[in-house]
């Protein structure tokens, strides 16, 4: 990453976030990035997943909305469009906006429009922004989550509990670069099962129900009446889940408001 950014401007700082036991620490990485930006005096935090391309006015639009006193204490989410496979020369950034529509599972306000979110369960961390005051009010991401699944659904609930409005911001688009997917994401079965149990303990209900049901249909997990929770089946340890975990990629779908790769915090000031 350092080599890629070395000749780019403005200068970027890379903050190490060690991986423990092979699980990507997505929540911890976001908290670490936010903490460092705040130490440096940032008053607005902008998060963008590593496989997302920012729209031309993404930062400008987030700054504009966050600067309005009416929206200063809100969680701001721009639209995200999932791009088709690139051509041999990659994506043409000048026309990237014409390649895909915003994800149909989320509100898609027009440029200049702001929509009030009525369901914090729809929050996802692919692209969002919030002021330093709002970050402190919500309290950051729960670092119990590691690997794939659940940490941003949890964050949406923390925002809701903190009476933080969720706003969908038009004119701040991001574009998710194409990579292969699978549904359900059996390559992340153990992460999803572990993180879903953490979420249920914290909030009293099970997230990612669509995926959990599909895993059960495949015989990879089962509901235990004795423990009152989903548990790994023997087939998962011997069959396709183990094979898939060796390297099957996946990106978020409608079943899960999740992030596919490491989140980064950018500061504006």
């Amino acid at each position: 990453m350092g080599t890629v950014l070395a000749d780019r401007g403005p200068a970027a700082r890379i903050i190490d976030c060690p991986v423990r036991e092979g699980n990507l620490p997505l929540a911890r990485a976001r908290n670490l990035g936010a903490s460092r930006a705040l130490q440096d005096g940032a008053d607005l935090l902008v998060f963008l997943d590593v496989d997302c391309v920012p729209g031309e006015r993404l930062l400008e639009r987030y700054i504009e909305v966050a600067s309005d006193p009416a929206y200063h204490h809100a969680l701001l989410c721009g639209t995200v469009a999932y791009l088709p496979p690139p051509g041999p020369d990659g994506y043409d950034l000048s026309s990237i906006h014409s390649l895909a529509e915003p994800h149909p599972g989320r509100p898609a306000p027009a440029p200049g429009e702001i929509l009030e979110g009525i369901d914090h369960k729809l929050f996802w961390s692919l692209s969002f922004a919030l002021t330093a005051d709002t970050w402190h009010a919500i309290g950051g991401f729960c670092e119990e989550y590691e690997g794939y699944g659940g940490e941003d659904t949890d964050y949406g609930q923390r925002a809701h509990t903190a009476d933080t409005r969720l706003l969908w911001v038009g004119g701040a688009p991001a574009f998710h670069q194409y990579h292969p997917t699978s549904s359900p994401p059996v390559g992340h079965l153990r992460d999803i099962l572990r993180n879903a149990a953490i979420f249920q303990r914290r909030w009293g209900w099970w997230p990612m129900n669509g995926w959990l049901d599909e895993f059960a249909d495949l015989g990879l997990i089962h509901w235990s009446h004795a423990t009152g929770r989903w548990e790994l089946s023997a087939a998962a340890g011997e069959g396709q889940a183990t094979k898939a975990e060796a390297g099957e990629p996946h990106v978020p779908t409608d079943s899960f408001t999740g992030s596919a790769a490491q989140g980064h915090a950018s500061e504006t000031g």
Side-chain angles (χ1 to χ4, degrees), residues 149-244:
E151 85 287 344
D152 51 359
T153 309
D154 184 284
Y155 192 75
Q157 294 307 294
R158 295 191 75 170
H160 180 64
T161 300
D163 292 325
T164 302
R165 298 163 67 194
L166 176 64
L167 299 179
W168 298 94
V169 178
F175 303 92
H176 186 286
Q177 298 179 73
Y178 172 84
H179 54 73
T181 68
S182 68
S183 185
V186 294
H188 300 286
L189 170 62
R190 286 171 175 77
D191 286 350
I192 290 171
L193 189 60
R194 180 187 64 251
N195 288 344
I198 292 172
F199 187 98
Q200 193 279 334
R201 171 173 55 78
R202 286 171 53 79
W203 300 104
W205 52 275
W206 290 90
M208 304 177 278
N209 276 320
W211 286 354
L212 293 172
D213 288 342
E214 290 182 80
F215 290 150
D217 290 342
L218 292 171
L220 301 175
I221 63 174
H222 64 275
W223 180 259
S224 170
H225 292 284
T227 63
R229 58 187 294 165
W230 290 102
E231 295 185 355
L232 205 63
S233 299
E238 300 171 0
Q240 63 195 82
T242 300
K243 180 179 179 181

Side-chain angles (χ1 to χ4, degrees), residues 7 37 82 88 90 93 105 111-112 160 172 201:
D7 299 324
Y82 278 72
L93 296 183
H160 180 64
R201 171 173 55 78

